[in-house]
Amino acid sequence: MSDTISARVTPADSTAVRVAEILLAFGAAADPMGITEIARATNLSKAVVHRIVQTLCTTDLLVQDSRSRKYRLGMAAFVLADTAAQTSRFRSASMDILATLAEKTGETTTLSGRVGHRRVYLAQVESRQLVRISVQLGAAHPLTAGASGAAILAHLPVAEAEAALHVPLERYSAATVTDPEQIRERMRLVREKGFARTTGERVKDSTGFAAPVFSPADEVLGAISIAALTSRLNPAREDDLADQVKQAAATLTARLSDR
């Protein structure tokens, strides 16, 4: 029987989460979005989206195109992103680890950071192979889908993990797990094995292996992953990739803690 704890969320907290979800939706969008598209991407009502978007426009975090009437990220958002990229020790400390992991495995490697109940791709080193997996940096995805999300979700406090399961769960493909009980069982296995493995949950013919990265206070910050073509895998290679991603995540955790 799973442990569940109800988390109390104040109105102010709820508004802050909604603002974050809307901004993260733009990070995953290739084109400007209208109110209906934003509402669909965030599972928020159009009235709530419209109110928050108007506020974000006053601070230049979003701007509205005068012709299409759709919205895109404003200059203030890019200033924040540039500052974060330059000052993030988490990302900078990972780059040589990702490069080494990509060289050893021949597959694409990524770093994801946790943002609320979602995670964002912060860095990647692409495979040199002609056919390879590639991710969109800055794109946000729920913690309930994909190996990186699973690695992070499994190590959250119970209340926070349960909160992530009590929202409509996004389905990217027929392989995406959306049953909360199945996700809880997967979380248990991730904690037991030290890594997460998923196939085709977000990208067809892709298998991900991910392991969590922790802060000096032992809070999960994100995950390192290997994104491999499923056709290139066999049991022995899967075991090797799992071991390598766990070692890479442990190395980054130790580096962040100066151990």
Side-chain angles (χ1 to χ4, degrees), residues 120-182:
V120 176
Y121 281 118
L122 301 178
Q124 76 170 323
V125 175
E126 290 192 34
S127 166
R128 295 182 181 179
Q129 301 195 61
L130 182 62
V131 181
R132 59 185 180 270
I133 306 298
S134 180
V135 304
Q136 180 185 348
L137 295 184
H141 300 285
L143 297 179
T144 51
S148 292
I152 297 168
L153 185 64
H155 293 88
L156 290 180
V158 174
E160 294 184 36
E162 284 298 317
L165 296 178
H166 282 80
V167 297
L169 302 184
E170 297 177 44
R171 183 184 292 277
Y172 291 86
S173 73
T176 305
V177 179
T178 57
D179 179 71
E181 281 304 318
Q182 291 183 33

Short mmCIF file of all heavy atoms in Angstrom, two decimals, residues 120-182:
data_model
loop_
_atom_site.label_atom_id
_atom_site.label_comp_id
_atom_site.label_asym_id
_atom_site.label_seq_id
_atom_site.Cartn_x
_atom_site.Cartn_y
_atom_site.Cartn_z
N VAL A 120 13.51 20.31 -16.82
CA VAL A 120 13.90 21.06 -18.01
C VAL A 120 15.25 20.54 -18.49
O VAL A 120 16.16 20.31 -17.69
CB VAL A 120 14.01 22.57 -17.69
CG1 VAL A 120 14.51 23.34 -18.90
CG2 VAL A 120 12.66 23.11 -17.24
N TYR A 121 15.37 20.36 -19.81
CA TYR A 121 16.67 19.98 -20.37
C TYR A 121 17.61 21.19 -20.30
O TYR A 121 17.36 22.23 -20.91
CB TYR A 121 16.52 19.55 -21.83
CG TYR A 121 16.00 18.15 -22.02
CD1 TYR A 121 14.79 17.92 -22.66
CD2 TYR A 121 16.73 17.05 -21.55
CE1 TYR A 121 14.33 16.62 -22.86
CE2 TYR A 121 16.27 15.76 -21.73
CZ TYR A 121 15.07 15.55 -22.38
OH TYR A 121 14.61 14.26 -22.56
N LEU A 122 18.71 21.03 -19.58
CA LEU A 122 19.68 22.11 -19.40
C LEU A 122 20.90 21.96 -20.31
O LEU A 122 21.53 22.96 -20.66
CB LEU A 122 20.17 22.14 -17.95
CG LEU A 122 19.10 22.36 -16.87
CD1 LEU A 122 19.75 22.31 -15.49
CD2 LEU A 122 18.39 23.68 -17.08
N ALA A 123 21.25 20.74 -20.67
CA ALA A 123 22.45 20.52 -21.49
C ALA A 123 22.35 19.16 -22.16
O ALA A 123 21.67 18.26 -21.68
CB ALA A 123 23.70 20.58 -20.63
N GLN A 124 23.05 19.04 -23.30
CA GLN A 124 23.16 17.74 -23.95
C GLN A 124 24.47 17.68 -24.73
O GLN A 124 25.01 18.71 -25.15
CB GLN A 124 21.99 17.46 -24.88
CG GLN A 124 22.02 18.18 -26.21
CD GLN A 124 20.97 17.69 -27.20
OE1 GLN A 124 20.67 16.50 -27.26
NE2 GLN A 124 20.39 18.62 -27.96
N VAL A 125 24.98 16.48 -24.90
CA VAL A 125 26.08 16.21 -25.81
C VAL A 125 25.57 15.13 -26.76
O VAL A 125 25.29 14.01 -26.34
CB VAL A 125 27.35 15.73 -25.07
CG1 VAL A 125 28.42 15.35 -26.08
CG2 VAL A 125 27.85 16.82 -24.14
N GLU A 126 25.43 15.48 -28.02
CA GLU A 126 24.83 14.56 -28.98
C GLU A 126 25.80 13.46 -29.39
O GLU A 126 27.02 13.67 -29.46
CB GLU A 126 24.36 15.31 -30.22
CG GLU A 126 23.15 16.20 -29.98
CD GLU A 126 22.55 16.70 -31.28
OE1 GLU A 126 22.57 15.96 -32.29
OE2 GLU A 126 22.05 17.84 -31.28
N SER A 127 25.24 12.32 -29.69
CA SER A 127 26.00 11.20 -30.23
C SER A 127 26.62 11.60 -31.56
O SER A 127 26.06 12.42 -32.30
CB SER A 127 25.08 10.00 -30.43
OG SER A 127 25.70 9.01 -31.24
N ARG A 128 27.75 11.01 -31.88
CA ARG A 128 28.39 11.26 -33.18
C ARG A 128 27.84 10.36 -34.27
O ARG A 128 28.20 10.50 -35.44
CB ARG A 128 29.91 11.05 -33.07
CG ARG A 128 30.60 12.05 -32.15
CD ARG A 128 32.09 11.80 -32.16
NE ARG A 128 32.81 12.72 -31.28
CZ ARG A 128 34.14 12.69 -31.09
NH1 ARG A 128 34.86 11.79 -31.73
NH2 ARG A 128 34.71 13.56 -30.28
N GLN A 129 26.99 9.41 -33.89
CA GLN A 129 26.45 8.48 -34.87
C GLN A 129 25.47 9.19 -35.80
O GLN A 129 24.82 10.17 -35.42
CB GLN A 129 25.77 7.31 -34.16
CG GLN A 129 26.73 6.55 -33.24
CD GLN A 129 26.20 5.21 -32.84
OE1 GLN A 129 25.96 4.36 -33.69
NE2 GLN A 129 26.01 4.99 -31.54
N LEU A 130 25.37 8.68 -37.03
CA LEU A 130 24.53 9.32 -38.04
C LEU A 130 23.07 9.37 -37.58
O LEU A 130 22.39 10.38 -37.74
CB LEU A 130 24.65 8.56 -39.36
CG LEU A 130 23.85 9.14 -40.54
CD1 LEU A 130 24.33 10.54 -40.87
CD2 LEU A 130 23.99 8.23 -41.76
N VAL A 131 22.59 8.27 -37.02
CA VAL A 131 21.22 8.22 -36.49
C VAL A 131 21.31 8.31 -34.97
O VAL A 131 21.95 7.47 -34.33
CB VAL A 131 20.50 6.92 -36.91
CG1 VAL A 131 19.08 6.91 -36.36
CG2 VAL A 131 20.49 6.79 -38.42
N ARG A 132 20.72 9.35 -34.40
CA ARG A 132 20.88 9.60 -32.97
C ARG A 132 19.66 10.32 -32.42
O ARG A 132 18.85 10.88 -33.16
CB ARG A 132 22.12 10.45 -32.72
CG ARG A 132 22.11 11.80 -33.43
CD ARG A 132 23.41 12.54 -33.23
NE ARG A 132 23.42 13.85 -33.89
CZ ARG A 132 23.84 14.04 -35.14
NH1 ARG A 132 24.26 13.01 -35.85
NH2 ARG A 132 23.83 15.25 -35.67
N ILE A 133 19.56 10.31 -31.10
CA ILE A 133 18.51 11.03 -30.40
C ILE A 133 19.00 12.44 -30.10
O ILE A 133 20.17 12.64 -29.75
CB ILE A 133 18.13 10.33 -29.08
CG1 ILE A 133 17.78 8.86 -29.34
CG2 ILE A 133 16.98 11.05 -28.40
CD1 ILE A 133 16.60 8.64 -30.22
N SER A 134 18.11 13.43 -30.24
CA SER A 134 18.44 14.80 -29.88
C SER A 134 17.26 15.40 -29.12
O SER A 134 16.10 15.10 -29.43
CB SER A 134 18.72 15.63 -31.14
OG SER A 134 19.03 16.96 -30.81
N VAL A 135 17.55 16.23 -28.11
CA VAL A 135 16.49 16.85 -27.32
C VAL A 135 16.51 18.36 -27.55
O VAL A 135 17.49 18.91 -28.04
CB VAL A 135 16.64 16.55 -25.82
CG1 VAL A 135 16.68 15.05 -25.57
CG2 VAL A 135 17.87 17.23 -25.23
N GLN A 136 15.43 19.01 -27.17
CA GLN A 136 15.33 20.47 -27.29
C GLN A 136 15.70 21.09 -25.95
O GLN A 136 14.98 20.93 -24.97
CB GLN A 136 13.90 20.88 -27.67
CG GLN A 136 13.73 22.39 -27.80
CD GLN A 136 12.28 22.76 -28.07
OE1 GLN A 136 11.45 21.92 -28.39
NE2 GLN A 136 11.98 24.05 -27.93
N LEU A 137 16.81 21.79 -25.90
CA LEU A 137 17.23 22.44 -24.66
C LEU A 137 16.19 23.48 -24.25
O LEU A 137 15.67 24.22 -25.08
CB LEU A 137 18.60 23.09 -24.83
CG LEU A 137 19.78 22.14 -25.09
CD1 LEU A 137 21.08 22.92 -25.14
CD2 LEU A 137 19.86 21.06 -24.01
N GLY A 138 15.91 23.53 -22.96
CA GLY A 138 14.91 24.45 -22.45
C GLY A 138 13.52 23.88 -22.42
O GLY A 138 12.62 24.45 -21.79
N ALA A 139 13.31 22.75 -23.09
CA ALA A 139 11.99 22.13 -23.11
C ALA A 139 11.68 21.53 -21.73
O ALA A 139 12.53 20.93 -21.09
CB ALA A 139 11.91 21.05 -24.18
N ALA A 140 10.44 21.72 -21.29
CA ALA A 140 10.01 21.22 -19.98
C ALA A 140 9.07 20.03 -20.17
O ALA A 140 8.21 20.05 -21.05
CB ALA A 140 9.31 22.32 -19.20
N HIS A 141 9.23 19.03 -19.33
CA HIS A 141 8.39 17.84 -19.40
C HIS A 141 8.00 17.42 -17.98
O HIS A 141 8.73 17.68 -17.02
CB HIS A 141 9.14 16.69 -20.08
CG HIS A 141 9.55 17.01 -21.48
ND1 HIS A 141 8.66 17.02 -22.53
CD2 HIS A 141 10.77 17.33 -22.00
CE1 HIS A 141 9.31 17.35 -23.64
NE2 HIS A 141 10.58 17.54 -23.35
N PRO A 142 6.86 16.77 -17.83
CA PRO A 142 6.43 16.33 -16.50
C PRO A 142 7.36 15.26 -15.94
O PRO A 142 7.98 14.49 -16.69
CB PRO A 142 5.02 15.78 -16.73
CG PRO A 142 5.01 15.39 -18.17
CD PRO A 142 5.88 16.40 -18.87
N LEU A 143 7.45 15.20 -14.61
CA LEU A 143 8.30 14.21 -13.96
C LEU A 143 7.75 12.80 -14.13
O LEU A 143 8.45 11.83 -13.84
CB LEU A 143 8.44 14.54 -12.48
CG LEU A 143 9.12 15.86 -12.14
CD1 LEU A 143 9.18 16.06 -10.63
CD2 LEU A 143 10.52 15.92 -12.74
N THR A 144 6.51 12.68 -14.57
CA THR A 144 5.88 11.37 -14.69
C THR A 144 6.19 10.68 -16.02
O THR A 144 5.79 9.54 -16.22
CB THR A 144 4.36 11.52 -14.54
OG1 THR A 144 3.90 12.54 -15.43
CG2 THR A 144 3.99 11.88 -13.11
N ALA A 145 6.88 11.35 -16.94
CA ALA A 145 7.16 10.77 -18.25
C ALA A 145 8.64 10.77 -18.55
O ALA A 145 9.32 11.79 -18.38
CB ALA A 145 6.41 11.53 -19.35
N GLY A 146 9.17 9.63 -18.99
CA GLY A 146 10.57 9.54 -19.38
C GLY A 146 11.49 9.17 -18.24
O GLY A 146 11.15 9.30 -17.06
N ALA A 147 12.68 8.69 -18.60
CA ALA A 147 13.62 8.19 -17.60
C ALA A 147 14.13 9.28 -16.66
O ALA A 147 14.24 9.08 -15.45
CB ALA A 147 14.80 7.51 -18.30
N SER A 148 14.45 10.46 -17.21
CA SER A 148 14.97 11.53 -16.36
C SER A 148 13.92 11.96 -15.34
O SER A 148 14.23 12.17 -14.16
CB SER A 148 15.39 12.73 -17.21
OG SER A 148 16.51 12.42 -18.00
N GLY A 149 12.68 12.10 -15.78
CA GLY A 149 11.60 12.45 -14.86
C GLY A 149 11.43 11.40 -13.78
O GLY A 149 11.26 11.72 -12.60
N ALA A 150 11.48 10.13 -14.19
CA ALA A 150 11.31 9.04 -13.23
C ALA A 150 12.43 9.03 -12.19
O ALA A 150 12.19 8.77 -11.00
CB ALA A 150 11.27 7.70 -13.97
N ALA A 151 13.66 9.32 -12.62
CA ALA A 151 14.79 9.32 -11.69
C ALA A 151 14.65 10.43 -10.66
O ALA A 151 15.03 10.27 -9.49
CB ALA A 151 16.10 9.49 -12.46
N ILE A 152 14.10 11.57 -11.08
CA ILE A 152 13.90 12.69 -10.16
C ILE A 152 12.71 12.42 -9.24
O ILE A 152 12.80 12.56 -8.01
CB ILE A 152 13.67 13.99 -10.94
CG1 ILE A 152 14.92 14.34 -11.77
CG2 ILE A 152 13.33 15.15 -9.99
CD1 ILE A 152 14.69 15.46 -12.79
N LEU A 153 11.59 12.03 -9.83
CA LEU A 153 10.36 11.83 -9.07
C LEU A 153 10.54 10.82 -7.94
O LEU A 153 10.02 10.99 -6.84
CB LEU A 153 9.25 11.36 -10.01
CG LEU A 153 7.85 11.20 -9.42
CD1 LEU A 153 7.31 12.55 -8.95
CD2 LEU A 153 6.91 10.58 -10.44
N ALA A 154 11.31 9.78 -8.19
CA ALA A 154 11.49 8.72 -7.21
C ALA A 154 12.21 9.19 -5.95
O ALA A 154 12.11 8.54 -4.91
CB ALA A 154 12.27 7.56 -7.83
N HIS A 155 12.89 10.32 -6.04
CA HIS A 155 13.69 10.78 -4.89
C HIS A 155 13.15 12.07 -4.29
O HIS A 155 13.83 12.72 -3.49
CB HIS A 155 15.14 10.95 -5.31
CG HIS A 155 15.80 9.64 -5.64
ND1 HIS A 155 15.75 9.09 -6.90
CD2 HIS A 155 16.48 8.76 -4.86
CE1 HIS A 155 16.39 7.94 -6.89
NE2 HIS A 155 16.84 7.71 -5.69
N LEU A 156 11.93 12.44 -4.65
CA LEU A 156 11.29 13.58 -4.01
C LEU A 156 10.67 13.16 -2.68
O LEU A 156 10.34 11.99 -2.48
CB LEU A 156 10.18 14.14 -4.92
CG LEU A 156 10.60 14.86 -6.20
CD1 LEU A 156 9.36 15.33 -6.94
CD2 LEU A 156 11.53 16.02 -5.91
N PRO A 157 10.48 14.11 -1.75
CA PRO A 157 9.69 13.80 -0.55
C PRO A 157 8.32 13.29 -0.95
O PRO A 157 7.78 13.66 -2.00
CB PRO A 157 9.61 15.16 0.16
CG PRO A 157 10.81 15.91 -0.32
CD PRO A 157 11.00 15.49 -1.76
N VAL A 158 7.74 12.43 -0.12
CA VAL A 158 6.48 11.78 -0.47
C VAL A 158 5.40 12.78 -0.85
O VAL A 158 4.68 12.60 -1.84
CB VAL A 158 6.00 10.89 0.71
CG1 VAL A 158 4.61 10.33 0.41
CG2 VAL A 158 6.98 9.76 0.95
N ALA A 159 5.26 13.86 -0.07
CA ALA A 159 4.20 14.83 -0.34
C ALA A 159 4.37 15.47 -1.71
O ALA A 159 3.38 15.68 -2.44
CB ALA A 159 4.19 15.91 0.74
N GLU A 160 5.60 15.79 -2.09
CA GLU A 160 5.84 16.42 -3.38
C GLU A 160 5.61 15.45 -4.53
O GLU A 160 5.05 15.81 -5.57
CB GLU A 160 7.26 16.99 -3.43
CG GLU A 160 7.49 18.13 -2.45
CD GLU A 160 8.87 18.73 -2.60
OE1 GLU A 160 9.36 18.80 -3.75
OE2 GLU A 160 9.46 19.12 -1.59
N ALA A 161 6.03 14.19 -4.35
CA ALA A 161 5.80 13.19 -5.38
C ALA A 161 4.31 12.95 -5.58
O ALA A 161 3.82 12.85 -6.71
CB ALA A 161 6.50 11.89 -5.01
N GLU A 162 3.58 12.88 -4.48
CA GLU A 162 2.13 12.65 -4.58
C GLU A 162 1.43 13.83 -5.26
O GLU A 162 0.49 13.64 -6.03
CB GLU A 162 1.54 12.41 -3.19
CG GLU A 162 1.83 11.03 -2.64
CD GLU A 162 1.23 9.93 -3.50
OE1 GLU A 162 0.07 10.07 -3.94
OE2 GLU A 162 1.93 8.94 -3.75
N ALA A 163 1.89 15.04 -4.99
CA ALA A 163 1.30 16.21 -5.63
C ALA A 163 1.48 16.14 -7.14
O ALA A 163 0.59 16.52 -7.91
CB ALA A 163 1.93 17.49 -5.08
N ALA A 164 2.63 15.62 -7.59
CA ALA A 164 2.89 15.49 -9.03
C ALA A 164 1.97 14.45 -9.68
O ALA A 164 1.73 14.51 -10.89
CB ALA A 164 4.34 15.10 -9.26
N LEU A 165 1.46 13.52 -8.88
CA LEU A 165 0.59 12.47 -9.40
C LEU A 165 -0.89 12.86 -9.36
O LEU A 165 -1.73 12.14 -9.90
CB LEU A 165 0.79 11.18 -8.61
CG LEU A 165 2.17 10.53 -8.71
CD1 LEU A 165 2.25 9.29 -7.83
CD2 LEU A 165 2.49 10.16 -10.15
N HIS A 166 -1.20 13.97 -8.69
CA HIS A 166 -2.59 14.38 -8.54
C HIS A 166 -2.99 15.50 -9.50
O HIS A 166 -3.83 16.33 -9.20
CB HIS A 166 -2.87 14.80 -7.09
CG HIS A 166 -3.05 13.62 -6.18
ND1 HIS A 166 -1.98 12.91 -5.66
CD2 HIS A 166 -4.17 12.99 -5.72
CE1 HIS A 166 -2.42 11.92 -4.91
NE2 HIS A 166 -3.75 11.94 -4.93
N VAL A 167 -2.36 15.51 -10.67
CA VAL A 167 -2.75 16.41 -11.76
C VAL A 167 -2.97 15.53 -12.99
O VAL A 167 -2.53 14.38 -13.02
CB VAL A 167 -1.65 17.46 -12.05
CG1 VAL A 167 -1.42 18.35 -10.84
CG2 VAL A 167 -0.34 16.78 -12.45
N PRO A 168 -3.67 16.02 -14.01
CA PRO A 168 -3.82 15.22 -15.23
C PRO A 168 -2.44 14.85 -15.80
O PRO A 168 -1.61 15.72 -16.04
CB PRO A 168 -4.58 16.16 -16.17
CG PRO A 168 -5.32 17.08 -15.26
CD PRO A 168 -4.41 17.30 -14.09
N LEU A 169 -2.19 13.56 -15.98
CA LEU A 169 -0.89 13.09 -16.43
C LEU A 169 -0.83 13.05 -17.96
O LEU A 169 -1.70 12.48 -18.61
CB LEU A 169 -0.59 11.71 -15.86
CG LEU A 169 -0.62 11.62 -14.32
CD1 LEU A 169 -0.21 10.23 -13.86
CD2 LEU A 169 0.29 12.68 -13.70
N GLU A 170 0.20 13.69 -18.50
CA GLU A 170 0.32 13.82 -19.96
C GLU A 170 0.73 12.49 -20.59
O GLU A 170 1.58 11.78 -20.08
CB GLU A 170 1.35 14.90 -20.31
CG GLU A 170 0.96 16.28 -19.82
CD GLU A 170 2.03 17.32 -20.11
OE1 GLU A 170 2.57 17.31 -21.24
OE2 GLU A 170 2.32 18.13 -19.24
N ARG A 171 0.11 12.18 -21.72
CA ARG A 171 0.44 10.97 -22.48
C ARG A 171 1.08 11.39 -23.81
O ARG A 171 0.45 12.04 -24.63
CB ARG A 171 -0.81 10.14 -22.73
CG ARG A 171 -0.52 8.82 -23.47
CD ARG A 171 -1.80 8.06 -23.78
NE ARG A 171 -2.44 7.57 -22.59
CZ ARG A 171 -2.11 6.45 -21.96
NH1 ARG A 171 -1.13 5.70 -22.44
NH2 ARG A 171 -2.74 6.07 -20.88
N TYR A 172 2.35 11.01 -24.00
CA TYR A 172 3.06 11.35 -25.22
C TYR A 172 2.92 10.25 -26.28
O TYR A 172 3.04 10.52 -27.47
CB TYR A 172 4.55 11.55 -24.92
CG TYR A 172 4.85 12.79 -24.10
CD1 TYR A 172 4.80 12.75 -22.71
CD2 TYR A 172 5.19 13.99 -24.71
CE1 TYR A 172 5.07 13.87 -21.95
CE2 TYR A 172 5.47 15.12 -23.97
CZ TYR A 172 5.41 15.06 -22.58
OH TYR A 172 5.68 16.18 -21.84
N SER A 173 2.74 9.02 -25.83
CA SER A 173 2.62 7.90 -26.75
C SER A 173 1.85 6.78 -26.06
O SER A 173 1.51 6.88 -24.87
CB SER A 173 4.01 7.39 -27.16
OG SER A 173 4.62 6.70 -26.07
N ALA A 174 1.62 5.70 -26.78
CA ALA A 174 0.92 4.56 -26.19
C ALA A 174 1.74 3.93 -25.06
O ALA A 174 1.19 3.24 -24.20
CB ALA A 174 0.62 3.52 -27.27
N ALA A 175 3.04 4.17 -25.06
CA ALA A 175 3.92 3.59 -24.04
C ALA A 175 4.02 4.44 -22.78
O ALA A 175 4.59 4.00 -21.78
CB ALA A 175 5.32 3.37 -24.62
N THR A 176 3.49 5.66 -22.80
CA THR A 176 3.57 6.54 -21.63
C THR A 176 2.72 5.98 -20.49
O THR A 176 1.54 5.69 -20.67
CB THR A 176 3.08 7.96 -21.97
OG1 THR A 176 3.80 8.45 -23.09
CG2 THR A 176 3.29 8.90 -20.79
N VAL A 177 3.34 5.83 -19.34
CA VAL A 177 2.62 5.33 -18.16
C VAL A 177 1.88 6.49 -17.50
O VAL A 177 2.49 7.50 -17.13
CB VAL A 177 3.60 4.69 -17.14
CG1 VAL A 177 2.84 4.20 -15.91
CG2 VAL A 177 4.37 3.54 -17.79
N THR A 178 0.57 6.35 -17.35
CA THR A 178 -0.23 7.41 -16.74
C THR A 178 -1.03 6.92 -15.53
O THR A 178 -1.76 7.70 -14.93
CB THR A 178 -1.22 8.02 -17.76
OG1 THR A 178 -2.05 6.97 -18.29
CG2 THR A 178 -0.47 8.70 -18.90
N ASP A 179 -0.88 5.65 -15.18
CA ASP A 179 -1.56 5.12 -14.00
C ASP A 179 -0.73 5.41 -12.76
O ASP A 179 0.43 4.96 -12.66
CB ASP A 179 -1.77 3.61 -14.13
CG ASP A 179 -2.45 3.03 -12.90
OD1 ASP A 179 -3.65 3.28 -12.70
OD2 ASP A 179 -1.75 2.35 -12.10
N PRO A 180 -1.26 6.18 -11.78
CA PRO A 180 -0.47 6.55 -10.60
C PRO A 180 0.12 5.36 -9.85
O PRO A 180 1.27 5.44 -9.37
CB PRO A 180 -1.47 7.32 -9.73
CG PRO A 180 -2.44 7.90 -10.72
CD PRO A 180 -2.58 6.84 -11.77
N GLU A 181 -0.61 4.26 -9.75
CA GLU A 181 -0.09 3.10 -9.03
C GLU A 181 1.11 2.50 -9.76
O GLU A 181 2.08 2.08 -9.12
CB GLU A 181 -1.19 2.05 -8.84
CG GLU A 181 -2.15 2.36 -7.70
CD GLU A 181 -1.42 2.56 -6.38
OE1 GLU A 181 -0.48 1.79 -6.06
OE2 GLU A 181 -1.76 3.52 -5.65
N GLN A 182 1.05 2.45 -11.08
CA GLN A 182 2.19 1.94 -11.83
C GLN A 182 3.40 2.86 -11.68
O GLN A 182 4.54 2.39 -11.60
CB GLN A 182 1.82 1.81 -13.31
CG GLN A 182 0.81 0.71 -13.59
CD GLN A 182 0.53 0.57 -15.08
OE1 GLN A 182 1.40 0.78 -15.92
NE2 GLN A 182 -0.71 0.24 -15.42
#
